[in-house]
Amino acid sequence: MNARRVRGAVAVLAALAITTLATACGGTETTGTAASAGGDKLAEVRLGYFPNITHATALVGIEKGFYAKHLGSTKLVPSSFNAGPAAIEAVFAGAIDATYIGPNPAINAWAKSKGKAIKIIAGSASGGVYLVVKPEINGVEDLKGKKIATPQLGNTQDVALRYWLQEKGLKTDTKGGGDVNIIPQENAQTLQTFATGDIDGAWVPEPFASRMVQESKGKILLDERDLWPNKQFVITHLIVRQEFAAEHPETVKQLLEGHVEANAAINADPADAAKTVNAALEKLSGKPLKQEVLDSVFKNITFTNDPIASSLVGSADHAIKIGLLEPVDLNGIYDLKPLNEILAAKGQPAVADK
């Protein structure tokens, strides 16, 4: 399904997730501006990302110096965020120029700005999301009356869980009622509440899914890849501020060169990439992942330049069907021309916006 020809969706709750165009995210934004140093040369470019394995492209690109290599005299200024809404607030405020982010925040940003704020310019990661439950839960019928966590009301995993349950004939509501009680909470908190028995499971991304299995004897009830054609769906992609891209197209292309090289490095040597990512996570959080968790996580995620556009549209359609989203035209949300020029120069196939 072509994203240029279909109707997508935007969260009714987007106003809660994205404040105003002048509101920067608290505590995580990078101050200053990406002031021009003449022509398309900038003093700096500000890149957002999350301290998650699903953002390994960014972590490897930063740690290995791939972005810096291609940006040349333009300094890379990375900013770490813990949630999509905060990153989008920073984009809207002009506090960052580009960011790695999940699909629903990108849709929300596109709709909130009436298609003027952002463009999706590359894919980054696919897969790595699971429904992990207590060992005694053996099927969807056992979920009735149970408490299942998601990272945030209306976020990508929350929509996926609600839609899946609806397809299975189970009702939910946004207040935690219904046949299955959905409890939105931060992923780090989910690790604790699952260990203490306060929740019965969670629909979460890596590395939290593997940690629930290995640290608290959780069981994988569902791999989200099994719900998508060819077992592929977008979990992370790269977006850029439209204003920034229009003013500095060469800088955007240089950023993409680093992005492509980072994904190539991950796929060429996953073991080395895992070590690099773990070292980066230790710097950010003060605590590395255990080796067995790290090994499991990297087997569960595909790192790709393909944004898997059809799954973005699919996610939006799912959200409409569960009543969390209202229609929005996604025509033009992708700008893959610079990425495809880079891929063509390397003899690699183009990626599509459909």
Side-chain angles (χ1 to χ4, degrees), residues 73-85:
S73 61
T74 300
K75 180 182 179 182
L76 179 74
V77 180
S79 293
S80 176
F81 296 88
N82 290 312

Side-chain angles (χ1 to χ4, degrees), residues 6-10 107 312-313 316-317 320 325-330:
V6 300
R7 302 284 292 179
V10 57
I107 294 172
L312 182 77
V313 175
D317 288 342
I320 290 175
L325 308 177
E326 61 184 25
V328 60
D329 189 358
L330 293 180

Side-chain angles (χ1 to χ4, degrees), residues 295-316:
D295 292 341
S296 174
V297 166
F298 266 79
K299 292 176 182 177
N300 297 334
I301 302 173
T302 300
F303 295 97
T304 175
N305 298 311
D306 189 344
I308 316 174
S310 61
S311 72
L312 182 77
V313 175
S315 293

